[in-house]
Amino acid sequence: GQQLNQSPQSMFIQEGEDVSMNCTSSSIFNTWLWYKQDPGEGPVLLIALYKAGELTSNGRLTAQFGITRKDSFLNISASIPSDVGIYFCAGRDQAGTALIFGKGTTLSVSS
Amino acid sequence: DSGVTQTPKHLITATGQRVTLRCSPRSGDLSVYWYQQSLDQGLQFLIQYYNGEERAKGNILERFSAQQFPDLHSELNLSSLELGDSALYFCASSSHPDMPTNEKLFFGSGTQLSVL
């Protein structure tokens, strides 16, 4: 079935550094969503993207819907300890069925 | 708080048993989704219901079934449980399944199932 490739799998950074992660698909997507999951909790929606080329910010987070419609990027600027968690990309292809999730990027921030 | 309620939070059972996981969607949301999260497989879509009817099916085993009731809460039934069924099971809800390009999923806190 449809798969999303999310990278990197994990990141270890210093507080204050910027972070970038991305997600690619084998087919064209109409929707890209970025979620964050804390331990013991469900994923929480960070940013939603619906148009190719769209660039959307949520505080220190910025995400982009790739022009090819087969990828998306999430950037976190000036990371802080509470940014620690697992970040998931999710997308919906043209068939319009349920959201498909990447395997996540685990972010660790040291102070 | 996402507004999606899942119970129980933890469930420990034995192989061969049957369990029921319950989900109450956000107020006003008509669509409910079930996802399974395991360490090696990430979040896997199981099944979606919209206003009581099955809408989409993912990688759901035949031993698993779900339904959505008139009050819109949903139950996921897992039977003949195996060790490999141990995972986090999430329910999510959304309000606009007929407008996929505007749909956002809101997740509950999950049910941790341990099959011993």
Side-chain angles (χ1 to χ4, degrees), chain A residues 75-109:
Chain A
N75 296 317
I76 305 173
S77 62
S79 59
I80 59 178
S82 63
D83 290 334
V84 165
I86 304 176
Y87 292 81
F88 290 98
C89 63
R92 185 188 307 282
D93 62 18
Q94 292 179 306
T97 52
L99 282 177
I100 302 164
F101 281 77
K103 292 197 173 183
T105 294
T106 300
L107 179 63
S108 301
V109 180

Side-chain angles (χ1 to χ4, degrees), chain B:
Chain B
D1 183 6
S2 66
V4 178
T5 304
Q6 285 189 251
T7 57
K9 194 164 178 65
H10 302 279
L11 198 50
I12 301 174
T13 188
T15 55
Q17 295 298 306
R18 171 189 168 94
V19 297
T20 297
L21 281 53
R22 183 187 169 100
C23 168
S24 294
R26 291 189 320 156
S27 177
D29 282 359
L30 299 177
S31 199
V32 169
Y33 303 75
W34 286 97
Y35 282 82
Q36 179 192 56
Q37 185 177 36
S38 55
L39 285 175
D40 58 344
Q41 291 295 322
L43 276 158
Q44 296 288 314
F45 167 64
L46 296 178
I47 197 164
Q48 176 198 1
Y49 278 81
Y50 170 61
N51 205 19
E53 299 291 325
E54 182 182 304
R55 182 102 171 188
K57 225 169 186 176
N59 300 319
I60 188 166
L61 300 172
E62 286 191 9
R63 300 183 285 108
F64 296 180
S65 65
Q67 53 184 330
Q68 186 179 27
F69 295 86
D71 67 352
L72 300 178
H73 91 271
S74 178
E75 293 181 355
L76 179 67
N77 301 297
L78 314 176
S79 62
S80 302
L81 285 168
E82 302 175 359
L83 295 177
D85 297 327
S86 296
L88 258 173
Y89 291 84
F90 285 107
C91 167
S93 74
S94 71
S95 58
H96 298 291
D98 288 331
M99 299 176 63
T101 55
N102 289 322
E103 185 171 353
K104 299 174 184 178
L105 264 59
F106 295 89
F107 283 79
S109 296
T111 294
Q112 177 68 60
L113 174 66
S114 298
V115 182
L116 306 179

Side-chain angles (χ1 to χ4, degrees), chain A residues 11-20 60 76-84 107-111:
Chain A
M11 302 182 74
F12 299 85
I13 63 171
Q14 294 278 339
E15 184 177 358
E17 290 183 6
D18 296 343
V19 171
S20 289
R60 294 178 294 104
I76 305 173
S77 62
S79 59
I80 59 178
S82 63
D83 290 334
V84 165
L107 179 63
S108 301
V109 180
S110 59
S111 54

